[in-house]
Amino acid sequence: MSSLRVLILGGAGEAAELGRRLAGDERFAPVLSLAGRTRAPSLPSIPHRVGGFGSVEGLVRWLSDPGADLLICATHPFAEQMRRHAVEAARRARIPLLMLERPAWVPQPGDRWTKVVDMAAAARALGSRPRRVLLTIGQKDLAPFAAVPHHHYVVRSIERPSAESLPPSVELISARGPFDEAGEQALLRQHRIEALVTKNSGGDATAAKLAAARALGIDVIMVQRPAAPKLDGVAVDIVTDAAGALAWLAARHELASSRRGV
Ligand SMILES: NC(=O)c1ccc[n+]([C@@H]2O[C@H](COP(=O)([O-])OP(=O)(O)OC[C@H]3O[C@@H](n4cnc5c(N)ncnc54)[C@H](OP(=O)(O)O)[C@@H]3O)[C@@H](O)[C@H]2O)c1
């Protein structure tokens, strides 16, 4: 039978990992889709496209032309809109959807976490006493911290944030994970950090900062994940890593082959 066409909505490391595993696998014709936020993304050697589809309608059109038999949503857990669009587009296009969702981090003994629902709550949770704060929340959610300018901020992100979103007292660090615990402890010590603000992204690549904060007794303001999209009327499977996604694809391929009697 011909290859199954798979659209992978990327943005998380697992999407690139899945792409690497699919490269050269003739059972599938994958395309990796990226929003285009990162200037030099690390790409697997499979076809890719860059940029939004033009809302759900655009994604539904893409699923019919160029076309896909299967949709995998492997965006970052905080890419709430794209995840909603994936569910809605799969429902309208009537194609199977797999959500690839890495597990959230959970607090360990010794952690000093304050869980908050969004970035505005994280900014408020820093309190009225001026503190030295490490922000590892990407470059696009910084505005709430400009509203609490009495803290000193160290912002670590892959892409440089735009100047107008920044609080007045700020240092910028440009870095891409994975990070290790020794390096994270050194960073926290060097900048005399008293509180760390992070999203609950989960995964190993950026978990070392949590271990470092635990070891040094530093407060962590943990922004909880947005609610998962409603799955009414859509057949959605969920896996937590690239290996799980590959197993799902293999099962789908077997099913398609047996239906076509190949
Ligand atoms: N939010 C985070 O904390 C975070 C962290 C690391 C990486 N990322 C990645 O960065 C990208 C943007 O994040 P976001 O939070 O701005 O997403 P978002 O709010 O969920 O999505 C905004 C819009 O960006 C476009 N888009 C998002 N992912 C896309 C993809 N894989 N392929 C094509 N278009 C895509 C879509 O535009 P249209 O409506 O025009 O189709 C979507 O409606 C995502 O791919 C996400 O996985 C996000």
Side-chain angles (χ1 to χ4, degrees):
M1 64 172 281
S2 53
S3 309
L4 283 177
R5 298 165 303 165
V6 185
L7 177 63
I8 304 168
L9 301 172
E14 288 81 356
E17 169 65 19
L18 178 60
R20 278 190 287 277
R21 290 178 184 227
L22 286 175
D25 187 334
E26 290 182 353
R27 294 173 298 172
F28 306 105
V31 174
L32 176 63
S33 174
L34 298 174
R37 304 281 197 278
T38 309
R39 269 194 299 270
S42 95
L43 286 168
S45 46
I46 61 170
H48 71 278
R49 63 168 301 287
V50 179
F53 294 92
S55 200
V56 185
E57 289 69 28
L59 179 54
V60 173
R61 273 196 301 277
W62 200 101
L63 292 172
S64 106
D65 180 16
D69 304 304
L70 303 170
L71 178 61
I72 297 182
C73 183
T75 55
H76 187 273
F78 280 75
E80 191 179 4
Q81 180 163 299
M82 192 70 245
R83 297 171 84 77
R84 256 190 294 110
H85 288 184
V87 170
E88 180 58 18
R91 190 178 65 74
R92 290 200 211 164
R94 299 194 177 156
I95 67 167
L97 169 64
L98 179 72
M99 302 292 276
L100 201 171
E101 290 180 0
R102 58 170 93 128
W105 293 315
V106 290
Q108 308 292 314
D111 275 332
R112 299 162 56 92
W113 286 17
T114 301
K115 295 181 186 174
V116 295
V117 293
D118 59 22
M119 223 41 90
R124 284 195 300 275
L126 290 171
S128 53
R129 178 178 66 81
R131 302 168 94 183
R132 297 181 62 83
V133 181
L134 175 62
L135 300 179
T136 60
I137 55 172
Q139 84 276 17
K140 71 166 193 164
D141 294 320
L142 295 167
F145 299 95
V148 281
H150 53 289
H151 304 295
H152 175 76
Y153 296 97
V154 177
V155 176
R156 181 174 71 189
S157 57
I158 298 176
E159 302 291 335
R160 199 179 167 82
S162 62
E164 66 272 15
S165 66
L166 293 174
S169 178
V170 68
E171 292 167 74
L172 302 180
I173 299 175
S174 174
R176 187 197 295 262
F179 302 103
D180 64 31
E181 190 183 335
E184 297 294 64
Q185 281 205 25
L187 177 78
L188 294 172
R189 283 206 174 94
Q190 182 195 344
H191 293 277
R192 293 176 286 117
I193 296 298
E194 299 169 281
L196 161 70
V197 181
T198 180
K199 298 174 179 175
N200 195 334
S201 302
D204 295 336
T206 57
K209 62 190 169 191
L210 303 177
R214 186 182 313 130
L216 299 179
I218 289 171
D219 292 335
V220 174
I221 314 293
M222 183 64 75
V223 182
Q224 301 301 100
R225 292 181 174 190
K230 289 204 174 64
L231 303 180
D232 311 346
V234 197
V236 181
D237 291 308
I238 301 174
V239 295
T240 56
D241 57 17
L246 202 58
W248 182 84
L249 283 171
R252 287 278 160 186
H253 185 269
E254 234 171 73
L255 187 67
S257 304
S258 65
R259 280 188 182 150
R260 291 178 201 182
V262 179

